[in-house]
Amino acid sequence: MVKDSLMTSFGSKGQSPAKPLPPSPIPAASSARLRQASPLQPPLFHSSTPRLVLSISPLPRSPSPPHPPSPRGRPPSPRMDSSSSSPSPSAAAAPAADAGRYTFSPKLRWQPEVEEYFAAAYGRDRFARISEALAHPSRYSCIRVNTLKSSTDAVMHKLMDLVCENGLSDGINGVEIVEQNGGDQPHEQSSLVQKCPYAGLENVLFVQGSGPHVLNYNSQPNQSVKEVIVSRKCAESVLRGAQVFVPGVLACSSHVEKGDKVAVSVAVEQPVKDGGWAVGITRGTVLQGLQSDVHYEERKGLYIGQGTAAMSRSGIFRVLHGIAVEMTERVYKLPSFNDVLEGEIFLQNLPSVVAACVLDPQPGERILDMCAAPGGKTTAIGILMRDKGEVVALDRSHNKVMDILKLASEMDLNCIKAYKLDALKSVRKTEEATIVEMVNSHCEAIKTLAEDSGPCHVTVDGTATNVNEESSTTTVVQSVDEQNPEPKRYVSKAELRKNLRRMKNGPGRNNCSGGRVEKSKGFFPNSFDRVLLDAPCSALGLRPRLFAGEETLESLKTHAKYQRRMFDQAVKLVSPGGVIVYSTCTINPGENEALVRYALDTYKFLSLVSQHPKVGGPGIVGSCELFNKTYTEKWLTEHEAELVQRFDPSSPVDTIGFFIAKFNVGEKEV
């Protein structure tokens, strides 16, 4: 599911822009192969709604391609290249061969067989558009409002107040920000904060960014540009609004000192002799500004911005952490967030918000979020339930469970219980029921001890015994109620002492007993009213993505097998009459439509149902046979495709690639 400061510094000068993507966010739907959906586009604003407006500073502009027309008369997003029409002396002296070097025009690389597979699924033209869109970030941020602590209107006004009172407008696109009521038609203005136009998503705000922008990377006359090369992962974060941190720097020009202006480019994996992919740069490599520099040709068209060195070259490769480059000019300018209205807002991709709403949790129900980290959908479910009921969140990582608990605490949600558990082991075997009763009795004994302020007392065959931390006795026998005789159960004194120390230390900063997380042994079948399975996947829908060659057809098939095993667990855990929502953040039909096909063919008591809200487009219809029928997949029928949601990164909605399917659960077969 990345937060930084709301203040973002933006630059403006440059040469020639990359091909602009469609304006966003615009109410529209993704399209399946040979089919398109065009829902009615509601207006982005009511005329009486106060809004935050960007007013472009009157700077000279260079000729640039015309901006795509805006649907429904919406003002276009500001380009803000503000590059001078007359080249600088160093620009005039630049070799003609470097005319397109300092630009951002990435091309996503795939394994040939994977590219062939996606071309068969989408058609070559559509897949080319998807591939291009994946290499660029969305041009807006989606904010979900915690309606238990605030309202959408209140958050909008708080954002306005923060901008005005703290002067954050100086760092947002370098433009003036004013509040304006609807009805006016200012020249070259665009709304910064918008209410989500889709029905059922009234708690969502869009914060508009812009790009791609043209930047001027020229340094002083007769001097070469000082450069920093960063890793692909670092570059993808920078494109979303982050700074360049020390671990992400791979190479740097010689004689870079603190305060120097540096151009930032990215090193993307290249094919190697053994058939794999590698970056091929040793960290600490010196750049001379010559064509003999490492990846000199490969980095052409992969410049993501420029900034100010926060430390010298020697410092960058000596320390282990910290900001290496503070970005001042970016190809994409996206407002980012850090400690802004904590607990009241959460930065989340639009399809993820939709998935939680599609689950339609009701107050008082018991909900399972099988792969919950970092907790965005979990907290969204808790808010939709008005914090009434129980939301069980699972993850196999200790630290990720801690993150879920911390986020739930920030949002004042008490209905969320997070456990450390592998989703593939979510179902507990029925024969463990007797063991569970013993564990529950054990917990009651610990709870009784916690309520005592003095030394702990337990009864051994009717006699009281003190249990101090210094006690070395190995076992304690819990007393038995004479009226309800049960077998005696033994509790280890070591376990009692451990819990005593934990109680003395008190709850940790994350309110989870000294930083510990609770482990679970699984849940019994039919334990939950609704289950959300946002399955681990190939993540081929996340944006921006600058490289995709690591995925092969075999690895994609492995993801699909893993997801089927998880889905089998979800089916067992949901009760008859319940709901399962399955989602992924990948464009791979094998992990999406093929999973739905498997579910419907395997479990006859499952049925696809319509979804609300419906923002994405229909699924993919048909089947796939490749490589002399050695690779086959079955997808959906026309009717089934209309019941799922597929978010296309190349559509005007401008989201990540995402998929959602909703199943009703009938009476299960015995």
Side-chain angles (χ1 to χ4, degrees), residues 54-171:
L54 289 170
S55 178
I56 310 254
S57 304
L59 297 175
R61 303 166 67 91
S62 63
S64 59
H67 198 80
S70 298
R72 294 286 201 190
R74 176 180 168 215
S77 300
R79 292 190 54 79
M80 295 184 309
D81 24 286
S82 64
S83 56
S84 174
S85 58
S86 58
S88 63
S90 57
D98 282 353
R101 177 172 185 77
Y102 297 102
T103 60
F104 184 68
S105 51
K107 184 176 180 181
L108 199 55
R109 304 182 73 165
W110 305 82
Q111 292 282 0
E113 72 237 8
V114 173
E115 188 168 2
E116 187 69 23
Y117 165 65
F118 285 141
Y122 293 100
R124 294 197 179 276
D125 290 343
R126 184 182 173 196
F127 177 61
R129 294 193 300 271
I130 292 174
S131 186
E132 180 183 1
L134 286 174
H136 298 261
S138 300
R139 295 199 301 181
Y140 67 99
S141 299
C142 179
I143 292 177
R144 175 171 55 81
V145 178
N146 182 358
T147 53
L148 298 182
K149 299 181 69 173
S150 187
S151 67
T152 305
D153 289 330
V155 167
M156 285 186 68
H157 284 89
K158 286 180 180 180
L159 287 175
M160 293 177 185
D161 292 340
L162 283 171
V163 170
C164 296
E165 292 175 7
N166 300 332
L168 299 184
S169 59
D170 294 338

Side-chain angles (χ1 to χ4, degrees), residues 480-554:
V480 179
D481 190 341
E482 295 179 359
Q483 298 179 357
N484 299 296
E486 293 180 0
K488 297 179 181 180
R489 299 181 179 89
Y490 292 84
V491 181
S492 167
K493 282 188 177 180
E495 181 69 18
L496 294 177
R497 292 195 299 270
K498 178 180 177 182
N499 282 279
L500 279 172
R501 288 193 294 269
R502 187 179 303 173
M503 287 182 282
K504 285 183 178 180
N505 292 335
R509 61 180 297 182
N510 295 314
N511 198 28
C512 51
S513 300
R516 287 179 169 83
V517 299
E518 190 171 351
K519 296 181 180 179
S520 172
K521 293 185 179 297
F523 304 91
F524 294 115
N526 306 325
S527 297
F528 297 93
D529 299 298
R530 299 170 194 263
V531 174
L532 172 63
L533 174 55
D534 185 44
C537 63
S538 56
L540 291 178
L542 296 184
R543 302 170 58 187
R545 170 178 287 276
L546 300 178
F547 177 72
E550 72 274 16
E551 291 291 352
T552 64
L553 275 183
E554 193 60 36

Side-chain angles (χ1 to χ4, degrees), residues 13 143 168 178 229 306 365 379 403 423 476 554 598 656 658:
K13 295 185 179 180
I143 292 177
L168 299 184
V178 296
I229 301 179
Q306 58 187 344
E365 290 184 332
T379 54
D403 291 340
V476 177
E554 193 60 36
Y598 162 80
I656 62 172
F658 207 83

Side-chain angles (χ1 to χ4, degrees), residues 1 368-379 391-396 400-401 404 407 416-419 423 532 534:
M1 281 151 268
L368 175 64
D369 188 353
M370 289 184 67
C371 305
K377 298 182 188 69
T378 308
T379 54
V391 182
V392 176
L394 307 180
D395 200 277
R396 64 182 183 180
K400 289 182 178 180
V401 175
I404 296 170
L407 182 59
I416 294 174
K417 296 182 179 179
Y419 300 96
L532 172 63
D534 185 44

